[in-house]
Amino acid sequence: MKRLYIVFLIAAIFVSMFCLFSGCSFVQEDLLLTTKSPNNAYTVEAYKTNGGATVDYSIKVYLINNNNKLLIYDKYHDYDADIKWINNDIIYINGITLDLSKGETYDWRKDES
């Protein structure tokens, strides 16, 4: 019985770490807001993700294009989406500025600051 418990615990840790660092398809995403650029060229949707009891909330923002979603912002330990358009191409998301015309994205796992 102890071995089964240890195997289950190791598996749970492995799945949690995998989910944290590579993303999970079973993570619940709740739509927070949808916004368009001033010239209506870009549409973005912000979601709050909930991975369950072992993973903290995060914010994901997708650029919507022809019903395709491109992840442009992914930040762990975020709880809300503060989004402002600087101009037609530049968007401010929770302290991060992205130029969508240049294809800029933000992923907390790749942040070197």
Side-chain angles (χ1 to χ4, degrees):
M1 186 66 169
K2 257 186 182 179
R3 284 186 186 176
L4 182 62
Y5 176 73
I6 291 171
V7 168
F8 177 76
L9 183 62
I10 290 171
I13 290 170
F14 177 76
V15 168
S16 295
M17 296 308 285
F18 176 78
C19 181
L20 179 64
F21 291 106
S22 68
C24 292
S25 61
F26 58 85
V27 172
Q28 178 182 344
E29 291 185 344
D30 296 318
L31 180 64
L32 293 176
L33 63 94
T34 300
T35 183
K36 291 183 180 252
S37 61
N39 65 354
N40 291 323
Y42 300 105
T43 301
V44 297
E45 293 180 347
Y47 291 85
K48 184 176 189 177
T49 64
N50 181 356
T54 61
V55 181
D56 199 7
Y57 290 102
S58 66
I59 297 296
K60 293 186 179 204
V61 179
Y62 296 94
L63 177 63
I64 309 301
N65 186 9
N66 297 327
N67 294 324
N68 293 322
K69 288 183 173 183
L70 173 66
L71 184 62
I72 61 169
Y73 176 90
D74 186 4
K75 179 84 185 286
Y76 190 56
H77 298 302
D78 259 2
Y79 304 95
D80 201 6
D82 177 25
I83 297 178
K84 295 178 180 73
W85 289 96
I86 305 301
N87 61 32
N88 290 329
D89 298 314
I90 299 175
I91 190 168
Y92 170 92
I93 307 169
N94 294 349
I96 304 294
T97 303
L98 302 174
D99 188 338
L100 300 181
S101 68
K102 295 180 180 176
E104 292 180 349
T105 63
Y106 175 79
D107 187 330
W108 69 277
R109 296 169 290 193
K110 299 173 185 171
D111 187 13
E112 296 179 12
S113 58

